Amino acid sequence: MKLNGKLDYLELPATGGTLDSVKSFYSAAFSWSFTDYGPTYSAFAEGLDGGFQADADEAPAKLLPVIYSENLEETLDAVESAGGTIVKPIFSFPAGRRFHFTDPAGNELAVWGH
């Protein structure tokens, strides 16, 4: 059941790389699956929560999707093996640890865990 006002969907650009390379990356790094809707759009259903960062020194310049991992080191290796670029190595923050990477399309995402 959908609730009025609930953030429901996250759409990321795939213009910096081909759609196939982006799908291949997320499949290899995170085991995501996709549903294609024509030659230029593919959807994923992998869950969504969120938060706002009010500290100007910590706030991302643009939307920052964050993925959860039970083992950051293994996930970092999977991201690199799949063709991602680590832009911030693993670091600690109040809720745990995380790292940031860019995907083949140039989107920056983070991965966090305990």
Side-chain angles (χ1 to χ4, degrees), residues 9-32:
Y9 201 81
L10 175 66
E11 193 167 84
L12 299 166
T15 56
T18 67
L19 184 58
D20 287 341
S21 71
V22 172
K23 287 169 45 180
S24 177
F25 169 77
Y26 285 99
S27 292
F30 301 106
S31 300
W32 286 11

Side-chain angles (χ1 to χ4, degrees), residues 4-62:
N4 189 39
K6 180 169 175 51
L7 189 59
D8 188 53
Y9 201 81
L10 175 66
E11 193 167 84
L12 299 166
T15 56
T18 67
L19 184 58
D20 287 341
S21 71
V22 172
K23 287 169 45 180
S24 177
F25 169 77
Y26 285 99
S27 292
F30 301 106
S31 300
W32 286 11
S33 58
F34 296 88
T35 301
D36 292 333
Y37 293 98
T40 62
Y41 197 93
S42 192
F44 57 87
E46 302 299 337
L48 180 64
D49 285 325
F52 291 98
Q53 173 58 270
D55 182 335
D57 292 332
E58 296 290 325
K62 52 189 169 185

